[in-house]
Amino acid sequence: MRELAGKLLRMDRRVIFVLIALATLIPLLHPIGFPVRVSPEVKQVYDYIESLPPGSVFLLSLDFDPASKPELYPMAVALLNHAFKRNLRVVGMTLWVTGTGMAEKVVSGVASEYGKRRGLDYTFLGYSPGGTNVIINMGQDLTAAFPTDHYGERTADLPVLQGVKSLRQVNYVVSLAAGTPGVESWYLYGKEKYGFELGGGVTAVIAPGLYPFLDTGQINGLIGGLRGAAEYETLIGMKGKAVAGMDAQSATHFIIIGLILLCNLFYFLNPRTAVRSGSLREAGR
Amino acid sequence: MTLFFRRTFPLLLTFLFGVAAAIQYYIPHPVSEAALTEVSVWLRIILGFAMILGIASLCHVHYAKIRTRVAGWGYSLVVYLSMLATVAVGLWSSGQEEGTGFGWIYTYALLALQGTMFSMLGFFVASAAFRAFRARSKEAAVLLVAAVVMMFGRVPLGEYLIPAAGPMAGWLLNVLNTAARRGIIIGISLGGIATSIKIIFGIERSYLGGRD
């Protein structure tokens, strides 16, 4: 048994790769559809958008690159669907240059599904260099920060931005972020000074770090990872890629849990372990 | 004179702009706001130039690798070729939307490559978890239990099998994690303030290049 434990501890990692691949593929091909429980932090974002009267200005900053697409793209789709359903004036933008094409595609794509007209119901401002300075610039004068939108139209002439001189006139900002600049930047350089309401959507890796901001009300809600996106899809009654991905995530999580438990079982069964622990104690002296 | 422009003048500028930016925050006067607007535009122009510096640095690093034929120098060649190809296609294709050459590179090269790189993480995390996540000490055991509870509670299957897993994971995030993170954030913020003060008053001068 102990010999076997030693051998299994030295298992070829390709075996683990195959297990993860199967755990991801099988549920994607044959989804089960376990119910998704909605957490309060996601519900708060949903409730705030629900509370906005039609015509309110909703700014969605897609601060991520293609690497984070699996987690944040479904979030963007769900939020845009909700905003367009509520007839909000949608303003899209990005602080990440590598996310520009992807961000434009999702904003214009969802808008066309609802028959929304560019410049009138929504606009995509695109990317502007400067990171956090873009936020300060927008807070001071939006048309100075973005003289034209992504399509070359003058922002001062856009009906969708009528009455929006700066971030002070924006009713709700949601930053979908995979790093910096992201949610924290929007709080520090934006909400703190210009007083708009802010929500966040981030990758699962970043989400735990933003809970202090949620707790103090510095952000009014938080959508974390693919799970958060699935929760939002559930709330708006539009089960998309995130809900479909939850079965795969369930399976991979369970594979990893199983591997961790096995690893510890083998670790304590392995005859070398006791020796190593002993030598560590010796070294400690 | 050279020393003045290399050391004194930048220190003076840093002091003036640092103090002015700190004071400006508390003065909501139109003149003060207009100054902030102007400075933020200038900052963005300067940051645009920083991109040129970044590209120059990237070229320099990879040229050195190709010149000295270090292991993996071929990848540096790929960096050069792909960068030049992207620039050429970007200049040639009018626009960056889908359907243009630049849009094609973005969708079928950058999107796919970055997506693949990030997806590989899942495989490596699983492999690393199997090899390294061991209860070697009490602290490691606590971390291990917390991780298992989190992984259980953050997926529908876990909540389906153990309904208490979801609220438990939520409690871990909202209470224990928040308390620890708050301490870290306060520490980082205090460090940031201290460093800023040191830079403004010229105590910290490493940004000048270290040639005093």
Side-chain angles (χ1 to χ4, degrees):
Chain A
M1 185 66 188
R2 291 186 173 207
E3 288 295 313
L4 179 73
K7 275 182 184 174
L8 285 167
L9 269 179
R10 293 187 298 275
M11 189 201 297
D12 190 333
R13 64 182 185 164
R14 283 173 294 190
V15 175
I16 297 166
F17 293 169
V18 169
L19 283 174
I20 292 292
L22 290 173
T24 309
L25 276 171
I26 295 166
L28 283 174
L29 296 170
H30 304 284
I32 302 154
F34 287 105
V36 179
R37 185 183 60 89
V38 178
S39 58
E41 52 267 34
V42 176
K43 184 82 165 56
Q44 281 156 1
V45 176
Y46 172 84
D47 285 345
Y48 197 82
I49 292 179
E50 275 292 300
S51 72
L52 292 170
S56 302
V57 182
F58 171 62
L59 191 145
L60 184 67
S61 187
L62 298 108
D63 308 323
F64 61 97
D65 58 1
S68 307
K69 189 185 174 186
E71 283 182 289
L72 298 175
Y73 201 84
M75 248 181 239
V77 172
L79 280 162
L80 287 163
N81 268 287
H82 193 196
F84 285 127
K85 257 185 207 168
R86 299 278 312 151
N87 290 315
L88 305 181
R89 287 190 278 165
V90 175
V91 180
M93 63 170 285
T94 179
L95 295 174
W96 288 39
V97 66
T98 46
T100 314
M102 197 174 48
E104 192 280 327
K105 194 178 170 185
V106 69
V107 174
S108 59
V110 177
S112 67
E113 285 172 28
Y114 286 85
K116 300 290 180 183
R117 285 161 299 174
R118 196 176 79 199
L120 190 69
D121 306 305
Y122 81 96
T123 186
F124 180 68
L125 298 174
Y127 167 79
S128 185
T132 52
N133 284 294
V134 176
I135 301 169
I136 297 170
N137 215 193
M138 287 173 79
Q140 294 298 116
D141 184 355
L142 201 137
T143 52
F146 288 95
T148 61
D149 66 5
H150 182 72
Y151 314 98
E153 305 286 336
R154 273 173 44 85
T155 46
D157 303 335
L158 293 174
V160 70
L161 290 173
Q162 280 306 300
V164 184
K165 296 271 179 288
S166 72
L167 288 175
R168 291 180 206 273
Q169 287 82 42
V170 173
N171 301 92
Y172 195 36
V173 174
V174 173
S175 168
L176 299 183
T180 305
V183 180
E184 279 187 61
S185 312
W186 276 101
Y187 172 72
L188 289 170
Y189 300 97
K191 182 186 172 171
E192 176 65 17
K193 188 171 168 71
Y194 306 108
F196 50 81
E197 194 55 83
L198 175 69
V202 290
T203 55
V205 176
I206 298 170
L210 289 171
Y211 273 80
F213 296 90
L214 186 70
D215 208 36
T216 52
Q218 289 163 314
I219 54 172
N220 82 328
L222 181 67
I223 309 169
L226 191 70
R227 163 69 191 251
E231 288 175 33
Y232 210 93
E233 283 181 359
T234 306
L235 281 166
I236 62 168
M238 185 210 78
K239 297 195 173 178
K241 281 186 176 176
V243 169
M246 283 321 289
D247 287 343
Q249 200 168 54
S250 291
T252 49
H253 272 218
F254 270 74
I255 291 283
I256 293 171
I257 290 167
L259 285 170
I260 290 170
L261 295 176
L262 277 177
C263 152
N264 280 279
L265 180 71
F266 298 152
Y267 177 68
F268 289 110
L269 283 175
N270 190 3
R272 289 185 188 179
T273 303
V275 176
R276 260 203 306 273
S277 302
S279 63
L280 278 172
R281 274 196 294 273
E282 286 294 320
R285 285 173 200 161
Chain B
M1 197 63 182
T2 317
L3 191 68
F4 172 79
F5 278 111
R6 217 172 59 196
R7 197 180 63 184
T8 316
F9 187 61
L11 284 172
L12 200 66
L13 277 181
T14 306
F15 176 78
L16 286 172
F17 277 91
V19 171
I23 292 170
Q24 190 282 328
Y25 187 84
Y26 301 99
I27 306 170
H29 190 272
V31 174
S32 154
E33 291 295 312
L36 177 64
T37 306
E38 192 63 30
V39 167
S40 64
V41 172
W42 271 98
L43 271 170
R44 286 175 54 212
I45 293 165
I46 292 163
L47 282 162
F49 280 96
M51 199 180 278
I52 297 167
L53 269 178
I55 293 164
S57 172
L58 183 86
C59 290
H60 176 75
V61 166
H62 287 285
Y63 173 70
K65 282 185 178 178
I66 293 166
R67 195 166 45 87
T68 52
R69 295 280 200 279
V70 293
W73 66 272
Y75 295 112
S76 297
L77 209 60
V78 172
V79 169
Y80 266 113
L81 291 172
S82 51
M83 190 164 66
L84 290 170
T86 307
V87 169
V89 171
L91 292 169
W92 165 71
S93 65
S94 48
Q96 50 185 326
E97 290 77 32
E98 221 169 334
T100 63
F102 189 83
W104 189 93
I105 285 181
Y106 182 84
T107 308
Y108 298 105
L110 187 80
L111 261 171
L113 286 168
Q114 283 204 346
T116 304
M117 285 295 290
F118 200 72
S119 302
M120 283 161 73
L121 255 181
F123 294 92
F124 294 131
V125 163
S127 177
F130 178 71
R131 284 171 213 294
F133 227 152
R134 293 170 190 175
R136 286 192 176 94
S137 62
K138 284 175 191 171
E139 292 85 357
V142 168
L143 186 70
L144 199 145
V145 170
V148 170
V149 170
M150 275 304 300
M151 281 194 284
F152 241 96
R154 291 293 291 173
V155 288
L157 180 58
E159 286 183 292
Y160 179 78
L161 295 172
I162 305 170
M168 272 172 78
W171 182 82
L172 279 175
L173 275 171
N174 282 301
V175 180
L176 300 184
N177 161 70
T178 302
R181 284 294 308 183
R182 190 167 287 143
I184 292 165
I185 290 168
I186 291 168
I188 292 168
S189 304
L190 290 172
I193 293 165
T195 307
S196 300
I197 290 168
K198 281 166 80 177
I199 290 169
I200 288 167
F201 289 103
I203 300 160
E204 173 65 61
R205 301 177 182 190
S206 56
Y207 66 92
L208 293 173
R211 289 189 305 161
D212 273 4

